[in-house]
Amino acid sequence: MCYHIIGDYMESIYSVLSKFDFDGELISCKEFGSGHINKTYIAKYRCGDGEQRYVVQKVNGAVFKNIDELMENVFAVTSYLRKVIKENGGDPDRETLHYIKTKDGEKYYKGDDTSYYRAYIFVKNSISYDSADTPELFGASGTAFGKFQKMLGGFDSGKLYVTIPNFHNTIWRYENEFLPALKLDVKDRAGGCRDEIDFITSRKDEMGRIEELVKEKKIPLRVTHNDTKLNNVMFDKDTNECVCVIDLDTVMPGVALFDFADAIRFGASTAAEDEKELDKVSLNLDYFEAYTKGFLSEAGSTLNNCEKENLAFASILITLELGMRFLTDYLNGDEYFKTDYAEHNLVRARNQLALVKDMESKLDEMNKIVLNCSLLES
Ligand code: ADP
Ligand code: GN1
Ligand code: MG
């Protein structure tokens, strides 16, 4: 048996693996993925002549305060999806996540007071991407998230717990997180980012626009994913077809617009989320169009006109929101997002705000693309 060394938590991860009902003999386990919140491991097991891989995740208990409710949500959503996928003649073992319970029959394993682990089957022959080489590949992820939205159309969103309250309530985040962080300025960092602070503050009036539409009942709450980064979709390694949507921790009642928007923010940018050279950061309209086509081809019939009219605006708003979240975390001393170096959150914030600026100059074109794609669907 060959054990890969995983820093100083080698001991504990192997004891964690032994708590789950996995088949076969452990071959290796290593850290994996580029997520900012949870810690992900891939564990390989020998099963007879073959191999079985499992994904094991340490859920971030500081971010997700109620792990029981979170796991209730993911089990409820994945069981529902399995049913729909079967009805549609698909393969539920491949097209949605398959969670593995612990040997005690629990949905997750609780280590010490702050560590929670859960496990699922690694989707065979699949890969995730941090960027798409072609608009077609990105468009395919739009189809996958659109289909995810459509398949969950019959699931009552009121039955889901809210795993992070006010997750995409931009004005709430401004008033209750950004302004207090700025006021306290615990690390004395605000002086070094005045331009970014002014950029955010000057857009305050736009921050509540979607919330208002929800209050006026023009936009409904639906079952939404809320974290639709390209690397939260698995593609088939050979054909590059989308296989399944993953990272279901933030599936909860929400605004479908933001599922579209967050994917655009990440995948239609010409640069990585933490690119330092800001002149490399812009919105690629070909990618925007490919995603819009893909998303609306599946979810178009579900969304109402008010939602469609706000797809482009929501893309700007979610980018502003994340820029503000990164800056808030920087001001707070980097407590929320994983960082690789001291100024990482500030770099990410500047990057997102540069993208906002470019998107603002392209809003009319984005709206035209949405309109054309909607007409294609009607
Ligand atoms: P995070 O919340 O940290 O983003 P994810 O659930 O997105 O965690 O998982 C991190 C990465 O692990 C994904 O981007 C993907 O590459 C890989 N991964 C996660 N689940 C699976 C799975 N079931 N099958 C294959 N790869 C997976
Ligand atoms: C986090 O876990 P991950 O890396 O998929 C964050 C998202 C941000 C994203 C930015 C629960 O997502 O909201 O948009 O980083 N998830 C949470 O990359 O806060
Ligand atoms: Mg992820």
Side-chain angles (χ1 to χ4, degrees), residues 282-314:
S282 64
L283 177 79
N284 184 322
L285 285 170
D286 292 337
Y287 277 56
F288 180 81
E289 181 168 11
Y291 193 91
T292 308
K293 265 192 199 143
F295 187 79
L296 289 181
S297 71
E298 288 289 341
S301 55
T302 316
L303 304 184
N304 69 29
N305 283 342
C306 183
E307 289 175 293
K308 286 181 195 161
E309 282 160 15
N310 281 287
L311 286 169
F313 168 72

Side-chain angles (χ1 to χ4, degrees), residues 168 170 206-216 219 255 257-258 306-307 310-311 313-315 317:
H168 287 318
T170 318
E206 295 160 28
M207 292 183 191
R209 204 191 286 176
I210 306 280
E211 278 303 305
E212 279 306 311
L213 293 169
V214 173
K215 276 193 202 127
E216 290 166 19
I219 290 184
V255 172
L257 286 175
F258 292 133
C306 183
E307 289 175 293
N310 281 287
L311 286 169
F313 168 72
S315 306
L317 185 62

Side-chain angles (χ1 to χ4, degrees), residues 57 127 169 239 372:
Q57 282 182 327
I127 185 164
N169 185 341
T239 64
N372 285 339

Side-chain angles (χ1 to χ4, degrees), residues 9 12 28 50-51 54 60 74 84 89 91 97 122 142 149 159 161 190 225 246 302 315 350 361 376:
Y9 38 88
S12 59
S28 67
E51 265 177 24
Y54 297 97
N60 186 328
V74 291
V84 177
D91 175 358
L97 289 176
F122 184 94
Q149 173 62 237
K159 293 207 168 119
Y161 294 104
H225 183 284
I246 61 165
T302 316
S315 306
R350 288 187 169 140
S361 73
L376 277 181

Side-chain angles (χ1 to χ4, degrees), residues 37-74:
I37 307 292
N38 297 324
K39 202 169 253 175
T40 303
Y41 306 90
I42 302 291
K44 219 192 267 181
Y45 284 72
R46 186 171 295 112
C47 284
D49 290 341
E51 265 177 24
Q52 174 72 56
R53 281 190 282 173
Y54 297 97
V55 176
V56 177
Q57 282 182 327
K58 182 176 184 194
V59 182
N60 186 328
V63 168
F64 297 103
K65 310 269 190 237
N66 191 325
I67 182 82
D68 287 304
E69 292 185 355
L70 183 151
M71 292 308 290
E72 283 291 323
N73 276 6
V74 291

